[in-house]
Amino acid sequence: MGQRLQGIEEFVAAVEAGSFALAAQRLHVTRSAVAKSIARLEARLNTRLFLRTTRSQSLTEEGHGYYERCRRVLAELDAAQALTDAARSTATGVVRISMPAMLGRLKVGPLLLALARRHPQLSLELAFNDRRVDLAEEGLDLAIRSGELLDSANLIARPLGVQWMALCAAPAYLAERGHPGTIGEMQSAQGTHEAVLYARDGQVSAWRFHDAQGRLVDVMLPSRLRCDSAEVLLEAAIGGMGLARLPSWLAADALAAGTLVRVFEEPKPFGFELNVIRSRSRYLPFKTRVVIDWLAEHLPPLLQVAP
């Protein structure tokens, strides 16, 4: 039985990932290992499953039929594993998760360390970066994302709360440049004020606010500093380099210390939804469910800073 299953996981992964290289990343093996496993599978079946050229691969007619049956077999095996996991009620194995850098270091990382102490057989691989990662390509089980989920058709998301945004500045900056009291005053004084802006992959997004009627208003100010580090933006704002639009939880300590102040009270708070996402799959492993449930229970209260 064991020999009959050899190569099936690699074959299904290659079909679903679209290439041997991406399948190898998903399975955390080399491309050569995937290719050899599939070649041995084809030899054992005495049939070709893929039509391969230097630039592409596609399934043969036999490959299509074999894939559908293999997918069902793996689904049954996954379901059996899920039942075993649930009966054991022990989180065992590796969970790989990506998260925004600053949020990860200050909020999510400590939560997951606490979880790992509760589950000695659980291993965690944590990636701290602000890139919009591809779960399948990078072999990740989970990712935490802020804002709109543009590729949600291929994802399952669990809400983790809202990152409420605060408009902040150093008291010295406002004393020198003037202190706008409303969104309109800030917009009409664009020659006076400048901003420190978050930029990712060269893209800068306008600041978003709700006006008194609840409508979304976009504001863009001139800027001498644009970067993809929220930590650097926080320090730049404290240093008087400009107005900053920061997550309330991140600005909380500086606001309490008085090194930053809120520029004005917003008519209605604006925030970005935070979600933990996973790829649509045949089943949710117990180890992954434990991580998701832990984050959903413990992270939202850490974000509940008055916006």
Side-chain angles (χ1 to χ4, degrees), residues 215-248:
R215 297 170 300 196
L216 283 174
V217 176
D218 288 347
V219 176
M220 181 67 80
L221 297 179
S223 175
R224 291 189 297 123
L225 175 65
R226 304 178 180 189
C227 70
D228 62 359
S229 167
E231 187 172 13
V232 170
L233 294 181
L234 174 65
E235 293 303 320
I238 292 172
M241 289 191 64
L243 306 178
R245 191 76 163 140
L246 300 169
S248 293

Side-chain angles (χ1 to χ4, degrees), residues 164 183 207-218 245 264-271:
W164 299 108
I183 299 171
W207 288 344
R208 308 210 89 176
F209 297 87
H210 285 114
D211 65 14
Q213 287 72 45
R215 297 170 300 196
L216 283 174
V217 176
D218 288 347
R245 191 76 163 140
F264 50 74
E265 292 299 321
E266 299 179 27
K268 178 183 176 183
F270 175 83

Side-chain angles (χ1 to χ4, degrees), residues 7-36 38 50-59 67 134 136-139:
I8 287 180
E9 187 176 14
E10 291 84 353
F11 167 65
V12 170
V15 174
E16 294 179 349
S19 74
F20 286 9
L22 292 179
Q25 290 180 16
R26 183 180 296 183
L27 298 172
H28 301 282
V29 297
T30 64
R31 184 193 182 284
S32 174
V34 170
K36 288 178 181 177
I38 293 174
F50 286 105
L51 295 173
R52 291 183 285 273
T53 69
T54 55
R55 295 189 177 184
S56 66
Q57 70 177 40
S58 59
L59 285 171
Y67 165 70
D134 184 302
E137 263 190 41
E138 302 190 30

Side-chain angles (χ1 to χ4, degrees), residues 152-212:
S152 58
N154 299 317
L155 302 172
I156 296 174
R158 177 89 172 266
L160 296 179
V162 177
Q163 290 201 93
W164 299 108
M165 304 302 290
L167 183 66
C168 306
Y173 171 89
L174 294 174
E176 178 186 346
R177 300 289 189 101
H179 196 149
T182 65
I183 299 171
E185 287 182 21
M186 181 176 63
Q187 288 178 300
S188 63
Q190 291 199 22
T192 303
H193 289 286
E194 60 182 312
V196 292
L197 297 175
Y198 184 85
R200 183 173 60 196
D201 300 326
Q203 300 296 315
V204 180
S205 298
W207 288 344
R208 308 210 89 176
F209 297 87
H210 285 114
D211 65 14

Side-chain angles (χ1 to χ4, degrees), residues 103-179:
L103 178 70
R105 287 198 298 271
L106 295 183
K107 301 296 183 181
V108 180
L111 283 181
L112 292 178
L113 292 178
L115 177 65
R117 286 193 291 270
R118 293 169 64 98
H119 294 274
Q121 297 180 57
L122 177 66
S123 298
L124 299 171
E125 291 185 11
L126 310 181
F128 301 91
N129 63 73
D130 290 343
R131 291 186 300 108
R132 188 168 289 272
V133 297
D134 184 302
L135 297 178
E137 263 190 41
E138 302 190 30
L140 294 165
D141 299 294
L142 300 170
I144 295 176
R145 282 195 189 166
S146 177
E148 186 179 2
L149 298 176
L150 299 177
D151 48 355
S152 58
N154 299 317
L155 302 172
I156 296 174
R158 177 89 172 266
L160 296 179
V162 177
Q163 290 201 93
W164 299 108
M165 304 302 290
L167 183 66
C168 306
Y173 171 89
L174 294 174
E176 178 186 346
R177 300 289 189 101
H179 196 149

